[in-house]
Amino acid sequence: MINFQYVRANSIADAVNLIADDPAAKFVAGGTNLIDLMKMDVEQPTKLIDISRLALDKVEDTAEGGLRIGAMVRNSDLAYHPAVEARYPVLSSAIRAGASQQLRNMASTGGNLLQRTRCAYFYDIALPCNKRTPGSGCGALAGHNRMHAILGTSDACIAVFPSDMCVALALLEARVHVSGPNGARTIAFDAFHRLPGETPQRDNNLEPGEMIVAVELPSAGFASNYSYLKIRDRLSYAFALVSVGVGLEIADGRIKAARLALGGVAHKPWRDTRAEAALAGQAANEAVFRQAADIVLRDARGFGHNNFKIELARRAIIRALTQAANGTPQSQSNKKIA
Amino acid sequence: MQQRNQPAGRADGASGTVSVNLTVNGTRHSLTLDPRTSLLDLLREHLDLTGSKKGCDHGQCGACTVLLDGRRVVSCLTLAVMQDGANVTTVEGLAKDGHLHPLQQAFIDHDAFQCGYCTPGQLCSGVALIAEGHAKTADEIRELMSGNICRCGAYTNILAAIQQAMRQS
């Protein structure tokens, strides 16, 4: 780890001013990903601006019937928050599917959105990686790519975004509130993370010097019919091979509205509004679910080791939709998949 | 989250070191640290509290688990300077007045370790799990202990020990 200067921000304005003065600086909140990347010399900030003590640790009701989650709310506090458990159980479930309780106690809401890929080529500075060193090539394309993306890839990068929480935030249509040198703005969740294209070094659409201050949930929480199904190499404490978040509104046996997002398959949480539209108005049955899965995966492409993910994703989508429709969401402690 | 006092936290410009005050197992310490020092290295290298283990140093094994203001964290992935004003409990601080913590006794009763390397982290994690109150069933305990890896595979007995201590709490 290279040496760095440590400073503590006293306010949002102080934080924004501090980072504007030093483009090589980074914000640190929970630190669970950044400090690890610094140990690997993947990240080499010359200054760390500690924003962990800013008063952004509240979960508050909004006037529109939604919830505003401060950027410093810890993942564990959010997962077990009574309002989240009652009104947005798919978010609670997704958070509990990720990491360990120790890491969730440390990791912040804002930091979860900003975590980097766990692609092994990104982490090893001896290997090529267009995300870490633009122009150096992609080691995963013809390398060990079992964990890698099947949707939205480019010739420059096939890394996946690792968050579970963000899959739920994508299907809930969260909004991301940010502050920066040009003031405050709000970013729709689908517009927050990016596909790799020719610029895989950019994970998201934050501008230089901007920081996340809150994540806002609209009122629709899909609390009756939801599921978060995560398929991984061991039953707990592993990143997703494929995960599926589902929220349904069902009336008289028919789907009124559907939300569907996938994790572990792309450079961002993968939401497909065409598949959602195909579900709307249909009876909730396996044939309909299979048709939606086929739409999601219409352009899926494997890279050798990860070809299995396409069929795995198809089955996981059908299973998660079935769980949601039946009102029997996947348990995050009893891992039997019913 | 517990509010802590907020000293300025600006680094000493000349040497690049930072002053940190924190309480570990009830004892207050004032130190001047390189900002790169992890909380784990502060405990092991500066305070000679070598119970917390450096297994992977990447937050993947749980051997460095300590209680930070009462919550379990992996001490390898936080900087000591970020924890100025904090209250830390390590495995060395679990016993009180010469008596083992009930979970420590339960680990002995159930033979919940073989080599012992992961045990300090398992104990701190288990103490926090019981205090959190989210785990009731065996499945829930296993899930919420999944951040602590045991390469000897003593999981069955660790589960039994936690269940015993949970009944006593």
Side-chain angles (χ1 to χ4, degrees), chain A residues 1 4 6 8 10 14 29 32 36 39-40 53 76-77 80 100-102 105-106 236-237 332 335, chain B residues 5 7 9-10 35-36 57-60 65 71-72 74 76-77 81-82 84 125 134 143 146-148:
Chain A
M1 191 187 296
F4 56 86
Y6 171 81
R8 199 171 290 151
N10 298 314
D14 188 31
T32 55
D36 196 27
K39 289 183 183 191
M40 305 293 285
R53 299 184 190 219
S76 53
D77 292 330
Y80 292 108
S100 66
Q101 184 70 357
Q102 287 97 314
N105 275 341
M106 304 167 78
S236 182
Y237 199 20
Q332 298 305 347
K335 300 300 174 61
Chain B
N5 60 336
R10 307 285 161 163
R36 289 172 287 188
D57 209 27
H58 293 286
Q60 298 175 7
T65 302
R71 296 156 62 101
R72 50 177 160 157
V74 283
C76 70
L77 286 187
V81 294
M82 294 180 68
D84 190 54
S125 198
H134 299 307
E143 170 61 25
S146 70
N148 293 84

Side-chain angles (χ1 to χ4, degrees), chain B residues 13-168:
Chain B
S15 63
T17 55
V18 184
S19 299
V20 179
N21 296 290
L22 75 179
T23 302
V24 180
N25 300 331
T27 304
R28 193 172 162 82
H29 298 274
S30 294
L31 304 113
T32 302
L33 297 172
D34 183 314
R36 289 172 287 188
T37 312
S38 68
L39 177 60
L40 176 61
D41 283 343
L42 170 122
L43 295 169
R44 290 180 57 85
E45 307 297 335
H46 294 261
L47 302 181
D48 287 333
L49 292 168
T50 54
S52 307
K53 295 294 185 277
K54 186 181 279 194
C56 69
D57 209 27
H58 293 286
Q60 298 175 7
C61 76
C64 67
T65 302
V66 300
L67 306 182
L68 181 62
D69 293 327
R71 296 156 62 101
R72 50 177 160 157
V73 301
V74 283
S75 58
C76 70
L77 286 187
T78 189
L79 299 171
V81 294
M82 294 180 68
Q83 304 308 332
D84 190 54
N87 202 327
V88 180
T89 303
T90 70
V91 69
E92 291 93 341
L94 292 181
K96 291 276 182 286
D97 305 323
H99 297 286
L100 292 178
H101 186 284
L103 186 62
Q104 291 175 306
Q105 185 59 51
F107 265 58
I108 295 170
D109 294 345
H110 291 274
D111 197 16
F113 47 86
Q114 289 180 42
C115 83
Y117 193 82
C118 73
T119 310
Q122 299 279 0
L123 286 166
C124 287
S125 198
V127 166
L129 173 139
I130 294 168
E132 288 158 7
H134 299 307
K136 302 283 191 291
T137 67
D139 280 339
E140 288 165 349
I141 296 170
R142 283 192 198 96
E143 170 61 25
L144 285 170
M145 287 296 291
S146 70
N148 293 84
I149 309 293
C150 171
R151 282 288 71 109
C152 302
Y155 297 112
T156 305
N157 295 359
I158 292 169
L159 173 64
I162 291 174
Q163 287 174 313
Q164 173 179 310
M166 203 177 265
R167 283 193 297 272
Q168 292 168 345

